[in-house]
Amino acid sequence: MPRVGILALQGDYAAHSKILDELQVAWQLVKMPRELDTVQGLIIPGGESTTLLKLMAPIAMRPALEAFHAQGRPIFGTCAGLILLAKETRDPAQESLGFIDIVAGRNAYGRQIDSFIDRGTPLVEELGIAPLEMVFIRAPKILQLGPSVTPLATHHDETVLARQQNILVSSFHPELTADRRVHRYFVDMVTTANDILRI
């Protein structure tokens, strides 16, 4: 069974670890670049994207993430993690890693006071047909999808879960719900990629 890392510089990384425990998936917190060498997938949790970038810079986390991505290792970004992984960010623009061909609108669902819980629609068989519970907290919107990006779930006809190759992003916080389908989907991505890379 592969091990999933959770970037633990800032944000709600503890909630993701509890879900991985429930799914009986090995995990570890990642606070330094060298720790990426011992995991086969990575979750970048929600939080504050500009703060996360500032914390990454002095420890050279960006080049380590670029190398991890270049190896074909899966990465899952929720909320601020989506912003960090996007090709372009707006409102306002900021630095990002560019691992997935989307344009992200920061805080597009409103401020903290505008946070809400709702249900969305899964679009792929792996996520089933039952509505997905979604928690939106200062959430970004996916404003544009590149041609090689696959929408996996929508909320009011807007894509809120998407994938491009081994990158998965979510506008909402699946770790704050009782629904484990999104995390299972990501764990399956990690397992598949690990099997391929071991051949």
Side-chain angles (χ1 to χ4, degrees):
M1 175 68 71
R3 180 179 298 270
V4 175
I6 307 169
L7 191 64
L9 301 180
Q10 188 256 352
D12 63 341
Y13 50 85
H16 289 281
S17 68
K18 291 177 182 176
I19 293 178
L20 294 176
D21 277 339
E22 287 182 28
L23 298 177
Q24 299 182 319
V25 174
W27 61 271
Q28 72 176 62
L29 299 181
V30 172
K31 297 184 178 183
M32 297 298 294
R34 64 179 179 273
E35 292 166 335
L36 289 170
D37 294 338
T38 56
V39 299
Q40 289 72 53
L42 182 71
I43 296 173
I44 302 179
E48 213 294 312
S49 58
T50 53
T51 300
L52 188 54
L53 286 166
K54 290 176 182 177
L55 293 171
M56 286 170 50
I59 60 172
M61 184 62 81
R62 177 174 183 142
L65 290 173
E66 290 172 340
F68 189 80
H69 174 51
Q71 294 169 16
R73 297 296 185 186
I75 303 174
F76 176 25
T78 64
C79 198
L82 176 152
I83 295 169
L84 195 65
L85 293 171
K87 182 178 180 180
E88 179 184 343
T89 64
R90 296 178 184 171
D91 305 320
Q94 73 169 40
E95 176 188 355
S96 58
L97 293 169
F99 291 174
I100 182 169
D101 188 11
I102 62 170
V103 177
R106 299 174 60 199
N107 301 328
Y109 284 93
R111 298 175 296 170
Q112 191 87 14
I113 196 171
D114 300 310
S115 302
F116 65 96
I117 301 173
D118 204 354
R119 294 191 177 275
T121 305
L123 302 178
V124 293
E125 183 179 353
E126 295 91 334
L127 293 172
I129 60 173
L132 281 165
E133 186 177 15
M134 299 176 175
V135 177
F136 294 87
I137 303 173
R138 294 181 62 201
K141 279 190 179 183
I142 299 174
L143 303 177
Q144 294 179 23
L145 293 170
S148 59
V149 179
T150 302
L152 302 179
T154 59
H155 176 261
H156 291 192
D157 296 324
E158 293 183 322
T159 298
V160 291
L161 182 68
R163 175 180 179 178
Q164 182 178 15
Q165 298 177 341
N166 281 336
I167 301 297
L168 179 68
V169 293
S170 171
S171 294
F172 60 98
H173 289 269
E175 76 280 6
L176 298 181
T177 77
D179 196 321
R180 302 297 180 242
R181 283 176 287 170
V182 175
H183 281 81
R184 285 195 186 97
Y185 183 91
F186 179 65
V187 170
D188 286 344
M189 286 175 58
V190 175
T191 302
T192 300
N194 193 54
D195 289 344
I196 293 171
L197 292 170
R198 288 170 59 188
I199 295 173

